[in-house]
């Protein structure tokens, strides 16, 4: 059982993550100051340094925290699908839905994460690669089981297919939010579901 001190610290960190992610999404990492993060979070500047050694460490932990939540939601979706007796392809479909729901809930974090994936000179690049692989590994596991069970072809390249599925959800969701916000999550999920099931050709 967690102590009230631990719970309080986690709540403070959550506030700091939320403040940092929105500010950095708005202004960029370099232009965002620790003072601004503290002010947005409603805490003293010293509280930021009590929880994190630096702004860079705060950002690294923010990436770990955010991608950790995404990874957990993907894993839960796959497990719940399996408990209902679903196929591996249905588990992948449930993971697509979970990914869309995550991005709908945390749009600023997702924009930040996608932007940072393409930068190569950042102090947190190695952290980013590790957490990205954790999310992709959940999808790889389900793909591997699907191939083993004969649901998917043995010819598929599992690491690349897993990365493509995660990338498809990220980019489609950001496009949905930026350019087609009037569409429901059901519509977006339905379109990606057709892609997953290989029915786009109409056969």
């Amino acid at each position: 059982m967690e102590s009230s001190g631990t719970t309080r610290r986690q709540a403070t960190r959550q506030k700091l993550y939320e403040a940092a992610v929105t500010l950095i999404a708005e202004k960029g990492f370099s232009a965002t100051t620790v003072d601004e993060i503290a002010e947005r979070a409603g805490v003293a500047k010293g509280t930021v340094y009590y929880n994190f050694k630096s702004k860079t460490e705060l950002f690294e932990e923010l990436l770990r925290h955010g991608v950790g939540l995404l990874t957990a939601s993907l894993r839960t979706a796959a497990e719940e699908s399996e408990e209902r007796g679903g196929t591996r392809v249905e588990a992948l479909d449930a993971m697509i839905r979970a990914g869309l729901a995550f991005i709908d809930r945390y749009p600023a974090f997702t924009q930040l994460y996608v932007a940072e994936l393409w930068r190569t000179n950042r102090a947190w690049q190695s952290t980013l690669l590790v957490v990205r692989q954790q999310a992709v590994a959940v999808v790889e596991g389900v793909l591997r089981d699907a191939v083993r069970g004969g649901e998917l072809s043995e010819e598929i390249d599992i690491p690349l297919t897993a990365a493509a599925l995660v990338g498809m959800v990220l980019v489609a969701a950001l496009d949905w939010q930026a350019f087609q916000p009037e569409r429901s999550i059901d519509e977006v999920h339905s379109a990606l579901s057709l892609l997953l099931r290989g029915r786009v050709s109409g056969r």
Side-chain angles (χ1 to χ4, degrees):
M1 200 170 144
E2 290 177 333
S3 70
S4 60
T6 306
T7 308
R8 200 161 48 244
R9 188 161 189 228
Q10 283 176 343
T12 302
R13 283 183 161 231
Q14 185 64 40
K15 273 196 224 167
L16 291 170
Y17 289 144
E18 286 168 9
V21 77
T22 51
L23 281 163
I24 294 167
E26 286 165 17
K27 304 174 64 169
F29 179 78
S30 303
T32 299
T33 66
V34 170
D35 283 359
E36 287 171 322
I37 293 169
E39 188 183 337
R40 181 74 65 96
V43 300
K45 183 178 177 180
T47 304
V48 181
Y49 290 115
Y50 175 73
N51 283 276
F52 305 99
K53 291 193 199 80
S54 63
K55 186 173 74 166
T56 297
E57 187 189 86
L58 166 55
F59 192 61
E60 272 199 67
E61 289 304 315
L62 168 65
L63 289 170
R64 283 186 200 278
H65 174 72
V67 180
L69 290 175
L70 172 60
T71 303
S73 70
L74 295 177
R75 189 176 288 118
T76 299
E79 287 169 356
E80 286 176 353
S81 175
E82 193 174 344
E83 283 164 15
R84 289 192 301 269
T87 65
R88 301 298 181 193
V89 171
E90 284 167 344
L92 290 167
D93 194 46
M95 291 163 94
I96 288 174
R97 174 86 187 201
L100 290 172
F102 173 87
I103 294 160
D104 190 37
R105 189 173 174 192
Y106 303 107
F109 173 78
T110 308
Q111 287 166 10
L112 206 53
Y113 171 69
V114 171
E116 290 302 320
L117 274 177
W118 305 112
R119 300 184 202 274
T120 53
N121 59 344
R122 299 295 212 190
W124 49 79
Q125 190 66 22
S126 59
T127 298
L128 192 57
L129 293 176
V130 168
V131 294
R132 173 204 165 274
Q133 187 48 41
Q134 286 168 356
V136 173
V138 178
V139 184
E140 282 183 8
V142 177
L143 284 170
R144 205 166 280 115
D145 289 344
V147 170
R148 210 177 286 130
E151 283 186 57
L152 294 175
S153 166
E154 290 183 7
E155 292 173 15
I156 70 167
D157 181 318
I158 288 173
L160 204 53
T161 302
L165 284 169
V166 172
M168 173 182 80
V169 173
L170 286 171
V171 175
L174 289 177
D175 189 89
W176 162 38
Q177 299 208 321
F179 305 115
Q180 307 176 61
E182 72 287 352
R183 305 191 78 166
S184 68
I185 190 171
D186 292 332
E187 284 181 90
V188 181
H189 175 226
S190 179
L192 299 187
S193 188
L194 284 176
L195 273 172
L196 169 69
R197 295 166 191 275
R199 295 213 300 267
V200 176
S201 66
R203 287 178 191 156

